[in-house]
Amino acid sequence: PQEAIQVAQKKRHLSLTDPQLEMREFRLESYQRVFTYLQQLSEQPEAMDGVAFYPDQVIGNPHQCLRLLLHHCGVQDPSWLVIRNFVHFLDVQLRDSEKSVFCNP
Protein backbone atom coordinates (compact mmCIF):
# COMPACT_ATOMS: atom_id res chain seq x y z
CA PRO A 1 0.00 0.00 0.00
CA GLN A 2 2.80 2.47 0.76
CA GLU A 3 4.26 1.76 -2.66
CA ALA A 4 0.88 2.49 -4.26
CA ILE A 5 0.83 5.95 -2.64
CA GLN A 6 4.37 6.68 -3.79
CA VAL A 7 3.65 5.57 -7.36
CA ALA A 8 0.43 7.62 -7.48
CA GLN A 9 2.27 10.72 -6.31
CA LYS A 10 4.92 10.37 -9.03
CA LYS A 11 2.69 9.46 -11.97
CA ARG A 12 -0.11 11.41 -13.50
CA HIS A 13 -1.83 8.31 -14.92
CA LEU A 14 -1.56 4.88 -13.35
CA SER A 15 -1.26 1.76 -15.47
CA LEU A 16 -2.90 -1.57 -14.76
CA THR A 17 0.43 -2.95 -13.54
CA ASP A 18 0.96 -0.21 -10.94
CA PRO A 19 0.09 -1.15 -7.35
CA GLN A 20 -3.15 0.52 -6.32
CA LEU A 21 -6.43 0.04 -4.55
CA GLU A 22 -8.65 -1.56 -7.17
CA MET A 23 -11.70 0.42 -8.26
CA ARG A 24 -14.06 -2.51 -7.69
CA GLU A 25 -12.81 -2.86 -4.12
CA PHE A 26 -12.97 0.90 -3.53
CA ARG A 27 -16.61 0.94 -4.65
CA LEU A 28 -17.63 -1.75 -2.15
CA GLU A 29 -20.04 -0.59 0.52
CA SER A 30 -17.57 -1.52 3.27
CA TYR A 31 -14.77 0.65 1.82
CA GLN A 32 -17.16 3.52 1.13
CA ARG A 33 -18.58 3.42 4.67
CA VAL A 34 -15.12 3.42 6.24
CA PHE A 35 -13.89 6.13 3.85
CA THR A 36 -16.90 8.35 4.58
CA TYR A 37 -16.36 8.22 8.33
CA LEU A 38 -12.58 8.56 8.20
CA GLN A 39 -12.84 11.49 5.81
CA GLN A 40 -15.24 13.24 8.18
CA LEU A 41 -12.97 12.45 11.13
CA SER A 42 -10.00 13.98 9.29
CA GLU A 43 -11.81 17.08 8.03
CA GLN A 44 -14.29 17.92 10.80
CA PRO A 45 -13.88 15.69 13.86
CA GLU A 46 -16.26 17.85 15.89
CA ALA A 47 -19.10 17.04 13.45
CA MET A 48 -18.94 13.24 13.64
CA ASP A 49 -22.49 13.05 14.99
CA GLY A 50 -23.77 14.43 11.70
CA VAL A 51 -22.09 11.91 9.40
CA ALA A 52 -24.47 10.33 6.93
CA PHE A 53 -23.48 7.30 4.89
CA TYR A 54 -25.42 6.56 1.71
CA PRO A 55 -24.71 3.01 0.45
CA ASP A 56 -25.49 3.79 -3.19
CA GLN A 57 -23.20 6.83 -3.36
CA VAL A 58 -19.51 6.55 -4.27
CA ILE A 59 -17.40 9.40 -2.95
CA GLY A 60 -13.73 10.23 -3.36
CA ASN A 61 -11.22 8.15 -5.27
CA PRO A 62 -9.06 5.11 -4.49
CA HIS A 63 -5.95 7.21 -3.87
CA GLN A 64 -7.68 9.40 -1.26
CA CYS A 65 -9.18 6.34 0.37
CA LEU A 66 -5.86 4.52 0.58
CA ARG A 67 -4.15 7.55 2.09
CA LEU A 68 -6.77 7.74 4.86
CA LEU A 69 -6.63 4.00 5.50
CA LEU A 70 -2.85 4.10 5.80
CA HIS A 71 -3.02 7.08 8.13
CA HIS A 72 -5.61 5.54 10.46
CA CYS A 73 -4.84 1.81 10.47
CA GLY A 74 -2.13 2.10 13.12
CA VAL A 75 0.46 -0.09 11.38
CA GLN A 76 3.65 1.53 10.10
CA ASP A 77 3.92 -0.31 6.76
CA PRO A 78 0.78 -2.47 6.45
CA SER A 79 0.25 -5.18 3.87
CA TRP A 80 -2.83 -5.23 1.66
CA LEU A 81 -4.22 -7.96 3.94
CA VAL A 82 -3.83 -5.70 6.99
CA ILE A 83 -5.65 -2.91 5.15
CA ARG A 84 -8.49 -5.26 4.16
CA ASN A 85 -8.79 -6.58 7.72
CA PHE A 86 -8.81 -3.02 9.09
CA VAL A 87 -11.60 -2.06 6.66
CA HIS A 88 -13.62 -5.16 7.56
CA PHE A 89 -13.21 -4.59 11.30
CA LEU A 90 -14.07 -0.90 11.14
CA ASP A 91 -17.01 -1.53 8.79
CA VAL A 92 -18.54 -4.00 11.26
CA GLN A 93 -18.11 -1.51 14.10
CA LEU A 94 -19.61 1.34 12.08
CA ARG A 95 -22.58 -0.77 10.96
CA ASP A 96 -23.29 -1.64 14.58
CA SER A 97 -23.08 2.00 15.63
CA GLU A 98 -25.44 3.02 12.81
CA LYS A 99 -28.01 0.54 14.14
CA SER A 100 -27.53 1.51 17.78
CA VAL A 101 -30.22 3.60 19.45
CA PHE A 102 -27.47 5.16 21.57
CA CYS A 103 -25.39 6.37 18.60
CA ASN A 104 -28.07 7.07 16.02
CA PRO A 105 -31.32 8.21 17.69
Side-chain angles (χ1 to χ4, degrees), residues 87-101:
V87 169
H88 175 73
F89 170 79
L90 193 51
D91 180 54
V92 169
Q93 302 303 310
L94 292 170
R95 281 177 187 261
D96 287 348
S97 73
E98 289 171 350
K99 293 175 187 173
S100 171
V101 295

Side-chain angles (χ1 to χ4, degrees), residues 48-59:
M48 287 302 292
D49 289 340
V51 176
F53 171 69
Y54 303 102
D56 298 334
Q57 185 180 17
V58 175
I59 61 166

Side-chain angles (χ1 to χ4, degrees), residues 1-22 25 61-70 77-80 83-84:
Q2 292 285 4
E3 182 185 358
I5 294 294
Q6 293 167 355
V7 168
Q9 289 174 341
K10 292 178 185 175
K11 290 185 170 184
R12 187 175 173 156
H13 299 287
L14 296 174
S15 70
L16 294 175
T17 59
D18 288 327
Q20 58 188 310
L21 179 61
E22 293 181 15
E25 204 165 11
N61 63 55
H63 180 72
Q64 292 171 321
C65 182
L66 185 56
R67 287 182 64 99
L68 277 176
L69 293 173
L70 288 171
D77 188 16
S79 65
W80 287 106
I83 294 293
R84 285 185 186 101

Side-chain angles (χ1 to χ4, degrees), residues 18-36:
D18 288 327
Q20 58 188 310
L21 179 61
E22 293 181 15
M23 185 59 82
R24 67 177 166 75
E25 204 165 11
F26 167 70
R27 291 177 177 262
L28 291 174
E29 185 176 315
S30 57
Y31 276 80
Q32 283 295 304
R33 177 179 283 105
V34 169
F35 178 60
T36 298

